[in-house]
């Protein structure tokens, strides 16, 4: 869930069981402009396509997670109109090309924030700079891939409009 972060405990003797966090937390502070729609979700991904959710093997002794198959994005669904802080638990690891957080509103308009930070340490909160949500482009979701359309709001490019027309005309077919 949105407020979940796994914890791991390991002890070979005694009755004290110390818990530790195998994940890092990315904090995104969102502020909204007057004309901004409801924020639908915030998504995290590694820029090199690293696995960030799904199955992991657990090294209890070292409080570490090893990818064992799963997804490449973590989404936190919000449906909020007000300013808010979003916390995303992600595997502590090296992200060789950094990572990106995408903020998407109910109309598919989005803003992407990227960093070149390479390593996120377990049990640490990393705060991305507070950002007013001003969409920079729009995504349309298909069954296979997100479709990127150039333009925001009513300022569509001519090619973007042609593409939308083609999508509407062939909506019963799978576009590859």
């Amino acid at each position: 869930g949105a407020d979940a972060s796994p914890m791991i405990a390991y002890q070979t003797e005694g009755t004290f069981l110390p818990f530790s966090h195998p994940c890092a937390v990315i904090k995104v502070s969102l502020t909204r402009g007057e004309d901004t729609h409801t924020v639908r979700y915030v998504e995290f991904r590694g820029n090199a396509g690293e696995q960030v959710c799904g199955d992991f093997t657990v090294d209890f002794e070292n409080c570490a997670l090893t990818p064992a198959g799963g997804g490449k994005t973590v989404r936190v669904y919000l449906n909020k109109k007000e300013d808010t802080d979003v916390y995303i638990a992600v595997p502590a690891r090296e992200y060789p090309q950094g990572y990106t957080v995408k903020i998407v509103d109910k109309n598919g308009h989005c803003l992407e924030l990227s960093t070149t930070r390479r390593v996120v340490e377990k049990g640490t909160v990393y705060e991305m700079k507070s950002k007013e949500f001003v969409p920079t482009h729009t995504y349309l979701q298909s069954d296979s891939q997100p479709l990127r359309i150039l333009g925001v709001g009513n300022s569509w490019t001519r090619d973007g409009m042609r593409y939308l027309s083609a999508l509407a005309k062939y909506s019963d077919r799978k576009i590859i």
Side-chain angles (χ1 to χ4, degrees), residues 1 28 32-33 38 41 50 53 59 65 71 74 83 106-107 109 114 121 126 128 131 139 149 152:
V28 182
R32 293 180 1 86
T38 300
Y41 64 84
E50 297 89 349
C53 65
D59 176 349
L65 300 174
V74 174
D83 296 352
K106 68 178 185 174
N107 294 324
H109 302 146
S114 292
E121 299 289 334
Y126 294 91
M128 296 194 83
K131 186 76 175 175
Y139 275 87
I149 304 296
V152 176

mmCIF file of all heavy atoms in Angstrom, residues 1 28 32-33 38 41 50 53 59 65 71 74 83 106-107 109 114 121 126 128 131 139 149 152:
data_model
loop_
_atom_site.group_PDB
_atom_site.id
_atom_site.type_symbol
_atom_site.label_atom_id
_atom_site.label_comp_id
_atom_site.label_asym_id
_atom_site.label_seq_id
_atom_site.Cartn_x
_atom_site.Cartn_y
_atom_site.Cartn_z
ATOM 1 N N GLY A 1 0.802 -1.186 0.000
ATOM 2 C CA GLY A 1 0.000 0.000 0.000
ATOM 3 C C GLY A 1 0.845 1.250 0.000
ATOM 4 O O GLY A 1 2.072 1.197 0.066
ATOM 5 N N VAL A 28 8.293 12.977 -2.216
ATOM 6 C CA VAL A 28 7.977 13.970 -3.244
ATOM 7 C C VAL A 28 6.929 14.913 -2.652
ATOM 8 O O VAL A 28 5.846 14.470 -2.279
ATOM 9 C CB VAL A 28 7.417 13.313 -4.528
ATOM 10 C CG1 VAL A 28 7.150 14.360 -5.596
ATOM 11 C CG2 VAL A 28 8.363 12.242 -5.031
ATOM 12 N N ARG A 32 0.151 22.354 -5.921
ATOM 13 C CA ARG A 32 -0.677 22.444 -7.121
ATOM 14 C C ARG A 32 -0.876 23.889 -7.521
ATOM 15 O O ARG A 32 -1.050 24.750 -6.680
ATOM 16 C CB ARG A 32 -2.048 21.825 -6.856
ATOM 17 C CG ARG A 32 -2.034 20.348 -6.635
ATOM 18 C CD ARG A 32 -3.388 19.756 -6.379
ATOM 19 N NE ARG A 32 -4.518 20.652 -6.390
ATOM 20 C CZ ARG A 32 -5.201 21.020 -7.492
ATOM 21 N NH1 ARG A 32 -4.870 20.560 -8.659
ATOM 22 N NH2 ARG A 32 -6.227 21.820 -7.412
ATOM 23 N N GLY A 33 -0.898 24.120 -8.820
ATOM 24 C CA GLY A 33 -1.258 25.423 -9.357
ATOM 25 C C GLY A 33 -2.771 25.552 -9.399
ATOM 26 O O GLY A 33 -3.499 24.579 -9.199
ATOM 27 N N THR A 38 -6.776 17.085 -10.571
ATOM 28 C CA THR A 38 -6.503 16.135 -9.499
ATOM 29 C C THR A 38 -5.322 15.248 -9.880
ATOM 30 O O THR A 38 -5.289 14.682 -10.969
ATOM 31 C CB THR A 38 -7.750 15.251 -9.257
ATOM 32 O OG1 THR A 38 -8.834 16.098 -8.890
ATOM 33 C CG2 THR A 38 -7.504 14.230 -8.176
ATOM 34 N N TYR A 41 -1.746 9.745 -9.786
ATOM 35 C CA TYR A 41 -0.735 8.884 -9.189
ATOM 36 C C TYR A 41 0.651 9.481 -9.351
ATOM 37 O O TYR A 41 0.879 10.376 -10.154
ATOM 38 C CB TYR A 41 -0.773 7.462 -9.763
ATOM 39 C CG TYR A 41 -0.446 7.335 -11.241
ATOM 40 C CD1 TYR A 41 0.866 7.251 -11.690
ATOM 41 C CD2 TYR A 41 -1.462 7.267 -12.185
ATOM 42 C CE1 TYR A 41 1.149 7.116 -13.038
ATOM 43 C CE2 TYR A 41 -1.184 7.134 -13.529
ATOM 44 C CZ TYR A 41 0.132 7.058 -13.956
ATOM 45 O OH TYR A 41 0.407 6.923 -15.296
ATOM 46 N N GLU A 50 15.736 -0.878 -13.830
ATOM 47 C CA GLU A 50 15.923 -1.787 -12.703
ATOM 48 C C GLU A 50 14.582 -2.290 -12.161
ATOM 49 O O GLU A 50 13.583 -1.595 -12.202
ATOM 50 C CB GLU A 50 16.654 -1.066 -11.547
ATOM 51 C CG GLU A 50 18.037 -0.599 -11.882
ATOM 52 C CD GLU A 50 18.076 0.805 -12.473
ATOM 53 O OE1 GLU A 50 17.014 1.369 -12.818
ATOM 54 O OE2 GLU A 50 19.180 1.338 -12.600
ATOM 55 N N CYS A 53 9.892 -3.558 -7.961
ATOM 56 C CA CYS A 53 8.774 -4.183 -7.253
ATOM 57 C C CYS A 53 8.675 -5.629 -7.710
ATOM 58 O O CYS A 53 9.343 -6.038 -8.649
ATOM 59 C CB CYS A 53 7.467 -3.428 -7.508
ATOM 60 S SG CYS A 53 6.913 -3.475 -9.216
ATOM 61 N N ASP A 59 17.916 -11.460 2.202
ATOM 62 C CA ASP A 59 19.095 -11.799 2.997
ATOM 63 C C ASP A 59 18.832 -11.214 4.385
ATOM 64 O O ASP A 59 19.047 -10.023 4.613
ATOM 65 C CB ASP A 59 20.347 -11.203 2.369
ATOM 66 C CG ASP A 59 21.599 -11.431 3.191
ATOM 67 O OD1 ASP A 59 21.500 -11.875 4.350
ATOM 68 O OD2 ASP A 59 22.689 -11.116 2.685
ATOM 69 N N LEU A 65 17.720 -6.957 -0.055
ATOM 70 C CA LEU A 65 16.802 -7.555 -1.026
ATOM 71 C C LEU A 65 17.544 -7.763 -2.340
ATOM 72 O O LEU A 65 18.294 -6.892 -2.784
ATOM 73 C CB LEU A 65 15.616 -6.628 -1.277
ATOM 74 C CG LEU A 65 14.755 -6.274 -0.078
ATOM 75 C CD1 LEU A 65 13.709 -5.234 -0.472
ATOM 76 C CD2 LEU A 65 14.084 -7.511 0.483
ATOM 77 N N GLY A 71 8.298 -6.036 -11.501
ATOM 78 C CA GLY A 71 8.067 -4.838 -12.292
ATOM 79 C C GLY A 71 9.151 -3.785 -12.190
ATOM 80 O O GLY A 71 10.009 -3.825 -11.317
ATOM 81 N N VAL A 74 6.980 1.611 -9.541
ATOM 82 C CA VAL A 74 6.155 1.601 -8.333
ATOM 83 C C VAL A 74 5.224 2.797 -8.439
ATOM 84 O O VAL A 74 5.676 3.918 -8.672
ATOM 85 C CB VAL A 74 7.007 1.729 -7.055
ATOM 86 C CG1 VAL A 74 6.110 1.857 -5.825
ATOM 87 C CG2 VAL A 74 7.953 0.560 -6.905
ATOM 88 N N ASP A 83 -2.332 20.121 -1.899
ATOM 89 C CA ASP A 83 -0.896 19.906 -1.758
ATOM 90 C C ASP A 83 -0.688 18.690 -0.854
ATOM 91 O O ASP A 83 -1.448 18.472 0.094
ATOM 92 C CB ASP A 83 -0.232 21.119 -1.124
ATOM 93 C CG ASP A 83 -0.321 22.369 -1.994
ATOM 94 O OD1 ASP A 83 -0.761 22.250 -3.152
ATOM 95 O OD2 ASP A 83 0.046 23.447 -1.509
ATOM 96 N N LYS A 106 -5.498 13.329 -13.573
ATOM 97 C CA LYS A 106 -6.615 12.493 -14.037
ATOM 98 C C LYS A 106 -6.822 12.547 -15.538
ATOM 99 O O LYS A 106 -7.468 11.676 -16.105
ATOM 100 C CB LYS A 106 -7.902 12.875 -13.315
ATOM 101 C CG LYS A 106 -8.425 14.250 -13.684
ATOM 102 C CD LYS A 106 -9.722 14.551 -12.966
ATOM 103 C CE LYS A 106 -10.276 15.881 -13.445
ATOM 104 N NZ LYS A 106 -11.578 16.146 -12.887
ATOM 105 N N ASN A 107 -6.254 13.555 -16.221
ATOM 106 C CA ASN A 107 -6.389 13.673 -17.669
ATOM 107 C C ASN A 107 -5.181 13.134 -18.421
ATOM 108 O O ASN A 107 -5.076 13.302 -19.627
ATOM 109 C CB ASN A 107 -6.634 15.129 -18.061
ATOM 110 C CG ASN A 107 -7.977 15.618 -17.554
ATOM 111 O OD1 ASN A 107 -8.935 14.863 -17.522
ATOM 112 N ND2 ASN A 107 -8.037 16.869 -17.142
ATOM 113 N N HIS A 109 -2.100 14.208 -18.089
ATOM 114 C CA HIS A 109 -1.029 15.200 -18.152
ATOM 115 C C HIS A 109 0.004 14.842 -17.097
ATOM 116 O O HIS A 109 -0.355 14.431 -15.990
ATOM 117 C CB HIS A 109 -1.562 16.608 -17.903
ATOM 118 C CG HIS A 109 -2.621 17.023 -18.853
ATOM 119 N ND1 HIS A 109 -3.666 17.830 -18.490
ATOM 120 C CD2 HIS A 109 -2.829 16.726 -20.160
ATOM 121 C CE1 HIS A 109 -4.451 18.026 -19.522
ATOM 122 N NE2 HIS A 109 -3.976 17.353 -20.550
ATOM 123 N N SER A 114 13.658 13.990 -12.623
ATOM 124 C CA SER A 114 14.728 12.992 -12.676
ATOM 125 C C SER A 114 15.909 13.433 -11.831
ATOM 126 O O SER A 114 16.111 14.622 -11.598
ATOM 127 C CB SER A 114 15.205 12.787 -14.116
ATOM 128 O OG SER A 114 14.202 12.185 -14.880
ATOM 129 N N GLU A 121 20.432 4.404 -0.071
ATOM 130 C CA GLU A 121 20.774 3.555 1.066
ATOM 131 C C GLU A 121 19.522 3.126 1.827
ATOM 132 O O GLU A 121 18.568 3.899 1.946
ATOM 133 C CB GLU A 121 21.711 4.308 2.028
ATOM 134 C CG GLU A 121 23.032 4.723 1.412
ATOM 135 C CD GLU A 121 23.960 3.558 1.153
ATOM 136 O OE1 GLU A 121 23.833 2.523 1.849
ATOM 137 O OE2 GLU A 121 24.804 3.673 0.258
ATOM 138 N N TYR A 126 14.974 10.098 0.965
ATOM 139 C CA TYR A 126 15.540 11.026 -0.022
ATOM 140 C C TYR A 126 14.430 11.945 -0.496
ATOM 141 O O TYR A 126 13.428 11.487 -1.028
ATOM 142 C CB TYR A 126 16.135 10.257 -1.209
ATOM 143 C CG TYR A 126 17.325 9.434 -0.814
ATOM 144 C CD1 TYR A 126 17.171 8.114 -0.405
ATOM 145 C CD2 TYR A 126 18.601 9.978 -0.823
ATOM 146 C CE1 TYR A 126 18.263 7.361 -0.023
ATOM 147 C CE2 TYR A 126 19.705 9.226 -0.438
ATOM 148 C CZ TYR A 126 19.523 7.913 -0.042
ATOM 149 O OH TYR A 126 20.604 7.164 0.350
ATOM 150 N N MET A 128 12.933 14.710 -2.901
ATOM 151 C CA MET A 128 13.047 15.427 -4.171
ATOM 152 C C MET A 128 12.541 16.837 -3.905
ATOM 153 O O MET A 128 11.638 17.029 -3.097
ATOM 154 C CB MET A 128 12.255 14.730 -5.262
ATOM 155 C CG MET A 128 12.807 13.346 -5.559
ATOM 156 S SD MET A 128 12.205 12.603 -7.067
ATOM 157 C CE MET A 128 13.278 13.330 -8.279
ATOM 158 N N LYS A 131 7.991 20.709 -5.756
ATOM 159 C CA LYS A 131 7.737 21.120 -7.133
ATOM 160 C C LYS A 131 6.261 21.390 -7.323
ATOM 161 O O LYS A 131 5.425 20.608 -6.908
ATOM 162 C CB LYS A 131 8.178 19.984 -8.067
ATOM 163 C CG LYS A 131 8.116 20.290 -9.513
ATOM 164 C CD LYS A 131 9.270 21.184 -9.923
ATOM 165 C CE LYS A 131 9.251 21.377 -11.427
ATOM 166 N NZ LYS A 131 10.217 22.295 -11.883
ATOM 167 N N TYR A 139 0.308 11.552 -21.459
ATOM 168 C CA TYR A 139 0.409 10.135 -21.782
ATOM 169 C C TYR A 139 -0.985 9.570 -21.975
ATOM 170 O O TYR A 139 -1.894 9.882 -21.212
ATOM 171 C CB TYR A 139 1.081 9.350 -20.646
ATOM 172 C CG TYR A 139 2.575 9.371 -20.709
ATOM 173 C CD1 TYR A 139 3.290 10.392 -20.117
ATOM 174 C CD2 TYR A 139 3.269 8.374 -21.366
ATOM 175 C CE1 TYR A 139 4.668 10.420 -20.175
ATOM 176 C CE2 TYR A 139 4.650 8.397 -21.433
ATOM 177 C CZ TYR A 139 5.344 9.415 -20.831
ATOM 178 O OH TYR A 139 6.705 9.439 -20.895
ATOM 179 N N ILE A 149 2.163 11.632 -26.291
ATOM 180 C CA ILE A 149 1.664 12.612 -27.250
ATOM 181 C C ILE A 149 2.305 13.947 -26.929
ATOM 182 O O ILE A 149 2.306 14.380 -25.780
ATOM 183 C CB ILE A 149 0.127 12.747 -27.157
ATOM 184 C CG1 ILE A 149 -0.551 11.385 -27.360
ATOM 185 C CG2 ILE A 149 -0.387 13.777 -28.153
ATOM 186 C CD1 ILE A 149 -0.344 10.776 -28.713
ATOM 187 N N VAL A 152 0.452 19.803 -24.427
ATOM 188 C CA VAL A 152 -0.202 19.843 -23.124
ATOM 189 C C VAL A 152 -1.497 20.607 -23.270
ATOM 190 O O VAL A 152 -1.570 21.608 -23.963
ATOM 191 C CB VAL A 152 0.698 20.541 -22.083
ATOM 192 C CG1 VAL A 152 -0.020 20.664 -20.762
ATOM 193 C CG2 VAL A 152 1.989 19.772 -21.899
#
